[in-house]
Structures are given as structure tokens and as C-alpha cells.
Amino acid sequence: MRDVFQKAETVYHWLGPEADDSDFLLDRAAEFGREAFRADMLGFAAMSPVEQEQCLLRFLGDTHPDLAPKPISRGPSSFDMSFTHKAASFLVQLAIQDPPDLSSTRMNKAIDAFLRRSFFQRLWIVQELAVSRNSVFLCGSRRLPVDHFESVLALTGRRLWGQTSEILHNVKAKAHPGAPNREWLRDFNGNLIDIPALELRRKRLQGHYPSLFSILELGIGVYGMPMLVAADPRDIVFGVLGVSCDATSLNLSADYSKSTIQVFTAVTRAFIRHCLDYHLGYSFFPKDLDGLPSWVPDWPRLCREGVPCFPVSRGYPRFKASLDRQQPPEHLVGEVEDSPTLLFSGFRLGSITSVLDTHLIFCQARGSILDTTEFIFDTEETLALTNEVRKFCYEKGITEDETIIRTCLMDDITLHGICARTNSTFLGIAQKTFRGQECIEDDLKPEDMELLSRYEDLSDEIPIENRQDMSQIQLQFAMFSWELQYKVAASFRRGKRTLFVTDDGRLGLGPSYMQKGDFIAILFGHAAPVILCPVEGDRCSFVGDAYIDGVMDGEAIKDGVTKENFKIV
């Protein structure tokens, strides 16, 4: 079928009758999308954040210096400015005009509803959209080229990277002083932009065919809406082999004589062997398929429900718990493709002795059963969680607040691009919040003041009581505290992760359904520790990956270890 769609002059996609204001959306998209496509907004959206920013600043310096936010650097550029000026000209003129529809609630709701149509959930549209030269959406009585619709989506904050949105925000403010200044298309679910079929089309237009794993990762990354839906679960793999770049190197082909479990086992083993971006932690989520090995993800369930939290080992900056130690080659090639057993070399780190019941904390805070499909960011719940986290750690003899904060946040990046785990200034201020202390301006160092000043731009977005009675520094500290509590709650998202303590006194964050008696291991070649559960004989099952403070940069392996082989079933 790939060849059919590739050779077709035009492919038409029927999305269904008019509904949820789709006529309004497609009419507006036709108006904005035609000009955005001509300006090559698809190419602009594919640029790096730095390139986008330089492009806009150079254009403003040449044509509208009064609208430029800062002096323009005219140093050498590595990209074609004739190309970038075309997109920049369109964006600046659009910002000067600032059409109300682009920031209207009506437009945002219409886009959200349109992208939630069942059409985008189907597996087989991936090939249709990814490889066709010209694609046209048909919806009700309207039609719209897909690339024109995509050019409208290129105006969202998910496609205008870095400071680009801020530069355009500045242009709008100077062109319309005193007028409300809202970001374009910001109020619909931004994750919907990453729908696999649309994202693969973008990559193909840039000349790239992605790997099989990156396609599946797109399918499981849209939380709250099913993706890659197929009647036969094996087609989640077989249906996208034709648009992946590595089916041959993975030695995978569509073989319907194999069972679903055999197919998923073989593809996961291929990922472990050949894909540097694959993480064993994807298999820690609950499974519906009986008989699936513990180290194999339930791909249909993940695509149906989405990933509530990504593996610890997927963190940035990348962890390196095993440093440069790699698995022996025979461990990677010694088993048949669909064998239910994996053999890994590594070393033990300790056994789990205590686990915090975060699910119970959330239930008690809200007075009802926890809905695990929700984000849990209610103020009362986050405060209850913070208090219980501190109480749990203190009772277990872990009293260093920096250790607790680093563990709760792992590698999280704050709203201002700060890596909480490695920034000592952030951790110092965070301890005050964690302990419930007030912010006393005279006690703050210059670096503290500088960091807190970054939070002033959140003043209109965060619910802070009695803000009118606060000084500027107090308000910034309140913003900081709100974000810290938000980030801590996010680490325990939907009750999927919780804290644990090991028999040697280490504090960690791992899957909420781990149990006392499970043990920690660091597997060679893996970025993060894993939690394993002993089963019969010398075998164990995979529970999930974990963050353990003090071992994520290879500290444990530097001390010398006793190598052990783990048979994971």
C-alpha cells in the first residue's frame, strides 16, 4: 500500500461530517494556511530554536528596527537568509495584524476537537499521510490541503521554539500598545500536534524516515487519546514497518504466523539490541496481555492509554549509572528472537525495605478514589504529598532535604530551563519551600535574587493568594514555591511512581507497585538502575527503572562491584 500512496497524484482523506465547528476551523485554516504555506512555515518550524530566533531578529533589524526587542547581531549565519526572511516576513506581518481568530477560544476548541476525531487514531492512516505527495482533508462540505493545515499548526508554541514566541509577543505589544496580548493557538492540547501520522509526514517532508521505535514512541506519547488503533494488535508493528528506516536492520517483517506475544517479544528484543534510544523502563506499565514477558511492553495498551510518565532512563541530562560498561555481546545475540528470557550482566545495589503509599495520600487528600487518568496538581493534594514525603523520609533516617528534593525531581527541567538536580542555587531556595520557611530578602544572595527574578513573568498565570500584600521578592518566591510543588506532584504523576528506601539507606523513586523484598540492580549499558522481583530459581521479573540519589552518575560502579548475571523473564 505504501507504493500506491506514494505514486498517487493526490490522496483524499475523509474525516466525516461537519461537527464541533469544523467548518469555521477549515475556513480560517484555508485563509491563514495558504499564506503560511507559501511563506514556508513548515520549513521554519523545522529549524532549531537558535535559527528561528536569529531569523526573526535579523529580519526585524533590517525592516522594523523599532519593533526589535534588542540590538541585532549581524555575525555570520549558517543558514539561507533568503529562505528565512520569507517566513520571518510572514510572521512579523501576522504579529502586526494579530488576527483575533488565532487567539480565540473558538479557534482553539475547534482545533482540539478536529484533532481528536477517530480518523487520526487509526493505524492505517500513518502510511496514507506519511508518504503521499499531496494530501487533502475532506470534512463535511469543506476541503483543505493537509500541508496548509499543518502550516497553521506551525504557528503554535510547540512549533515556534525558544524565544521566538517572546519576540513575536514583543512585536504585538509594540504594534498594539495597551491591547490584550495572547499567544496564538495556546489553549488546545499541545500534545495533539504530535499525532504520529502528522509528525511522520513532517519528517518525510524534511527528507527523513524515522526508526520503528521512534514511530511507536510517537504512538504512546499522546496521553489521553488512543493512537495507532488496529483490529489486529500485531499491526501496531507490521503496519508501520513500511514507513520506518530500520525494518531490515532490525530483521523484522510482517509474519502473521506468529502470535501477538511472539511479535512483541521479537520487536522488543530487536530494540534492546540495536536501538540506543530504547529504554527498558517502557515495560514497567501494567499489561493486559497474559503471558507477556515482564521486559516486553504491552504496546496496544500503551498506544491506547498513552505513557503517563516516561522512563527514568529517558531523562535529560542523560544519566549514566553504569558509566561505560556494556553488556557482553553473547548476552545480546545468544537467545532466539521470541525467547521469553533476557540475560543481563550487572550488579546488585540493595533490597527495598520501605515504600511510600502515594496513592493513599492522594485519595485521603481529595476524599475519594484516585482517578489515575487525571493530572494531580490540586493545591491541597500537592501540599499533602509534600508533607507526607518529608515525614516518610525523616522517619527512615533520611534528613537531608537536598537529597529528598533531588530524588523527587530527578532530572526535571524547570519552566525556566534549570536542571533542578544539578543547580545548587535552585536547591538552596527549594529547601526553604520544602521546610515551609518564609523568604527574607536580607538572607538572599545575589545569585538567589537573580534566579527568583526569572519567576516574575509567571505572576499572571499562577494562583497566589494575597499577592497584593507581597513585595516583589515575596511574590517571586511564591511563584517558585508553586512550581516546586507542581514539579514534585508531577514526579508522582497519577500514582505511577513513589519513594522507596533500601536496606543500605538509599532513597529512590520508582514504580508505585514495587514491594518490599524487590531488589535494585544496575545493568551494564543502562543509564538508570532497575528494580527486579525474585521469582523461582535464579530468575527474576522486571518491575521498572528507578532514580536513586547518589548513583545516577556512576558513583556505585566506581567503588568496585561484584558482577552478576540476571535472567529476566
Side-chain angles (χ1 to χ4, degrees):
M1 290 301 292
R2 168 179 168 169
D3 292 339
V4 172
F5 294 121
Q6 245 177 349
K7 295 176 181 178
E9 182 174 337
T10 303
V11 177
Y12 295 93
H13 311 272
W14 172 246
L15 276 76
E18 193 282 335
D20 301 311
D21 228 0
S22 59
D23 281 356
F24 164 78
L25 169 63
L26 295 184
D27 288 344
R28 296 287 78 75
E31 176 185 344
F32 298 124
R34 184 186 308 109
E35 296 305 316
F37 180 72
R38 289 173 180 170
D40 203 3
M41 278 302 301
L42 295 179
F44 185 85
M47 294 165 63
S48 73
V50 173
E51 287 175 334
Q52 286 190 359
E53 180 181 353
Q54 287 186 21
C55 165
L56 275 178
L57 291 177
R58 285 168 178 260
F59 179 79
L60 287 170
D62 290 341
T63 61
H64 298 80
D66 56 316
L67 298 178
K70 58 185 177 182
I72 307 303
S73 168
R74 299 186 183 278
S77 173
S78 61
F79 49 92
D80 182 359
M81 290 306 299
S82 63
F83 156 72
T84 57
H85 268 58
K86 185 168 60 172
S89 175
F90 168 78
L91 283 170
V92 170
Q93 291 303 316
L94 194 66
I96 292 172
Q97 298 167 9
D98 197 18
D101 282 338
L102 281 181
S103 55
S104 70
T105 300
R106 183 182 182 186
M107 186 78 160
N108 280 281
K109 286 184 176 180
I111 291 178
D112 195 277
F114 189 78
L115 292 175
R116 290 183 184 277
R117 287 181 176 241
S118 60
F119 169 83
F120 291 105
Q121 301 173 17
R122 291 165 35 213
L123 169 82
W124 294 106
I125 68 157
V126 171
Q127 287 193 29
E128 297 177 23
L129 281 167
V131 303
S132 59
R133 291 177 293 170
N134 299 301
S135 282
V136 177
F137 285 147
L138 303 178
C139 183
S141 60
R142 304 297 197 270
R143 63 174 59 196
L144 180 72
V146 172
D147 292 338
H148 290 193
F149 180 75
E150 279 280 271
S151 297
V152 173
L153 294 185
L155 300 174
T156 68
R158 290 290 291 269
R159 310 294 291 162
L160 299 178
W161 305 106
Q163 297 299 311
T164 304
S165 292
E166 287 299 317
I167 296 171
L168 294 173
H169 185 91
N170 181 75
V171 171
K172 288 188 283 184
K174 290 185 175 182
H176 306 279
N181 196 340
R182 295 191 63 200
E183 189 177 335
W184 297 328
L185 305 178
R186 63 165 294 174
D187 292 333
F188 72 96
N189 186 342
N191 287 333
L192 297 176
I193 291 180
D194 297 328
I195 285 172
L198 294 178
E199 181 62 20
L200 290 178
R201 180 172 181 83
R202 293 172 200 135
K203 292 184 181 299
R204 196 268 302 169
L205 291 174
Q206 298 165 28
H208 304 300
Y209 276 100
S211 67
L212 176 61
F213 170 64
S214 67
I215 296 174
L216 292 181
E217 193 172 35
L218 286 170
I220 66 183
V222 182
Y223 192 84
M225 191 170 88
M227 285 289 135
L228 304 181
V229 175
D232 187 332
R234 294 172 295 183
D235 285 333
I236 290 177
V237 175
F238 295 157
V240 294
L241 284 176
V243 292
S244 68
C245 66
D246 57 351
T248 301
S249 62
L250 294 175
N251 195 29
L252 296 172
S253 60
D255 182 355
Y256 286 95
S257 68
K258 292 186 175 182
S259 69
T260 299
I261 290 177
Q262 287 176 318
V263 171
F264 291 165
T265 300
V267 74
T268 304
R269 184 182 293 278
F271 289 159
I272 292 171
R273 288 178 181 174
H274 302 292
C275 299
L276 295 177
D277 293 335
Y278 181 73
H279 304 279
L280 200 59
Y282 279 114
S283 58
F284 97 72
F285 304 104
K287 302 172 185 179
D288 295 329
L289 289 172
D290 291 334
L292 204 63
S294 65
W295 52 272
V296 177
D298 186 337
W299 294 108
R301 176 166 177 161
L302 288 181
C303 289
R304 184 174 68 250
E305 298 183 2
V307 176
C309 45
F310 283 98
V312 174
S313 53
R314 192 176 181 264
Y316 176 86
R318 186 170 174 82
F319 297 128
K320 45 186 178 182
S322 64
L323 292 181
D324 297 325
R325 295 285 296 271
Q326 299 297 319
Q327 290 296 315
E330 63 270 18
H331 286 190
L332 298 179
V333 299
E335 299 276 2
V336 296
E337 298 298 328
D338 55 1
S339 167
T341 303
L342 275 182
L343 182 62
F344 279 114
S345 287
F347 60 95
R348 294 187 186 233
L349 205 58
S351 296
I352 295 173
T353 56
S354 300
V355 179
L356 176 65
D357 190 346
T358 49
H359 189 280
L360 178 61
I361 294 170
F362 283 129
C363 290
Q364 291 175 339
R366 66 168 42 194
S368 62
I369 299 298
L370 175 64
D371 181 356
T372 57
T373 65
E374 296 180 0
F375 282 95
I376 308 300
F377 296 141
D378 178 84
T379 301
E380 184 177 344
E381 292 165 347
T382 55
L383 285 174
L385 176 64
T386 302
N387 291 333
E388 290 297 326
V389 162
R390 191 167 64 242
K391 178 182 175 183
F392 171 81
C393 294
Y394 288 178
E395 288 178 350
K396 305 304 176 185
I398 299 168
T399 57
E400 290 187 7
D401 289 337
E402 277 198 19
T403 297
I404 302 170
I405 294 168
R406 281 196 301 266
T407 303
C408 289
L409 297 182
M410 296 192 296
D411 62 324
D412 213 340
I413 304 297
T414 71
L415 299 179
H416 293 86
I418 301 168
C419 181
R421 185 170 72 99
T422 59
N423 189 292
S424 58
T425 302
F426 179 94
L427 288 170
I429 302 174
Q431 287 185 72
K432 296 179 182 293
T433 292
F434 205 66
R435 296 167 183 163
Q437 297 175 347
E438 294 184 1
C439 176
I440 301 175
E441 188 168 347
D442 292 341
D443 294 341
L444 296 176
K445 302 174 184 177
E447 55 267 31
D448 298 334
M449 303 276 282
E450 190 279 328
L451 188 147
L452 288 175
S453 69
R454 306 183 195 183
Y455 285 80
E456 189 168 358
D457 61 338
L458 299 176
S459 59
D460 295 330
E461 301 183 25
I462 298 178
I464 303 294
E465 295 181 358
N466 304 319
R467 64 174 65 215
Q468 68 278 3
D469 300 326
M470 296 181 179
S471 67
Q472 184 181 34
I473 285 292
Q474 288 173 331
L475 183 58
Q476 291 167 356
F477 182 74
M479 306 293 174
F480 176 94
S481 300
W482 182 91
E483 186 196 23
L484 178 66
Q485 292 169 354
Y486 178 100
K487 290 291 187 180
V488 168
S491 294
F492 297 88
R493 186 169 294 167
R494 304 181 188 92
K496 292 295 188 295
R497 286 202 178 110
T498 191
L499 292 177
F500 63 88
V501 176
T502 64
D503 54 2
D504 55 355
R506 300 180 190 271
L507 179 66
L509 188 74
S512 58
Y513 45 84
M514 59 188 160
Q515 299 178 353
K516 295 179 183 179
D518 293 345
F519 66 92
I520 311 296
I522 291 181
L523 307 178
F524 298 142
H526 288 256
V530 299
I531 300 174
L532 302 175
C533 175
V535 291
E536 58 180 326
D538 60 351
R539 298 171 181 263
C540 53
S541 62
F542 180 81
V543 179
D545 60 2
Y547 176 96
I548 302 177
D549 196 62
V551 307
M552 303 307 291
D553 294 314
E555 296 92 336
I557 202 170
K558 294 174 185 176
D559 296 335
V561 296
T562 302
K563 177 182 171 182
E564 185 176 345
N565 289 333
F566 302 97
K567 293 182 179 180
I568 305 177
V569 295

